[in-house]
Amino acid sequence: MYDDNFTTDPEEFQKIKELQIEKEKILFLALCSESDSKLILNEEKMTVRDFERITYLLQQLGLHNYCAAFGIRHSDLLKELGKQIEYDILNDTADADTEMFLRKHWDDAFLSQLPKGKIRTYLKKLFE
């Protein structure tokens, strides 16, 4: 089977990659809350915790291309998150139970804002 998107041209490959990133971004914007949309569209200031949560949700949804681009775009927040994680590890203040509880809360909050029905039912499977 021939794939029309296959290319060895670096410029063409970059265009295809950018298109995939944009598609994933649009999909996430269609699914996420209004407040997350405002953060992503730079209508509101994003905190490190917002960045961590949105990155986590992108990973859960399998939107890996956009997740990587999102991290690069917000490299300042990524660096700050890295510093926080490093501090927690070095000072033995990391708490796995608290982090798991937080992620469960993020899952529940994301899923609960989706319309009831097929979308919520199927996306819930990605969070299990």
Side-chain angles (χ1 to χ4, degrees):
M1 175 183 243
Y2 180 73
D3 183 355
D4 292 333
N5 289 328
F6 180 78
T7 182
T8 57
D9 177 31
E11 289 178 18
E12 190 64 27
F13 179 79
Q14 186 62 31
K15 287 179 187 176
I16 293 168
K17 188 73 164 176
E18 289 171 7
L19 179 61
Q20 183 62 34
I21 290 168
E22 188 63 22
K23 286 179 181 181
E24 290 181 14
K25 178 182 177 180
I26 290 167
L27 178 59
F28 187 70
L29 286 169
L31 295 171
C32 72
S33 67
E34 185 68 27
S35 58
D36 283 348
S37 290
K38 288 179 179 181
L39 294 170
I40 290 167
L41 297 172
N42 293 321
E43 295 173 5
E44 291 184 8
K45 186 171 170 63
M46 188 179 311
T47 66
V48 173
R49 189 58 93 176
D50 292 329
F51 172 80
E52 182 181 14
R53 180 178 46 76
I54 290 170
T55 302
Y56 168 78
L57 293 172
L58 290 168
Q59 291 170 350
Q60 288 293 90
L61 294 167
L63 303 175
H64 303 294
N65 292 305
Y66 181 56
C67 186
F70 184 76
I72 291 167
R73 181 170 179 227
H74 298 284
S75 61
D76 56 327
L77 295 172
L78 181 60
K79 287 176 189 173
E80 184 60 35
L81 179 59
K83 287 178 187 177
Q84 289 178 7
I85 292 169
E86 181 180 30
Y87 176 87
D88 286 343
I89 291 169
L90 293 175
N91 294 288
D92 201 26
T93 56
D95 182 1
D97 291 335
T98 301
E99 291 299 316
M100 292 301 293
F101 176 80
L102 184 60
R103 279 158 180 69
K104 177 72 172 126
H105 172 72
W106 291 342
D107 291 348
D108 293 344
F110 177 79
L111 292 168
S112 69
Q113 59 86 39
L114 292 171
K116 290 184 179 177
K118 238 179 169 178
I119 292 174
R120 187 187 295 184
T121 300
Y122 284 110
L123 288 179
K124 189 174 183 177
K125 293 176 188 288
L126 295 177
F127 288 80
E128 293 175 348

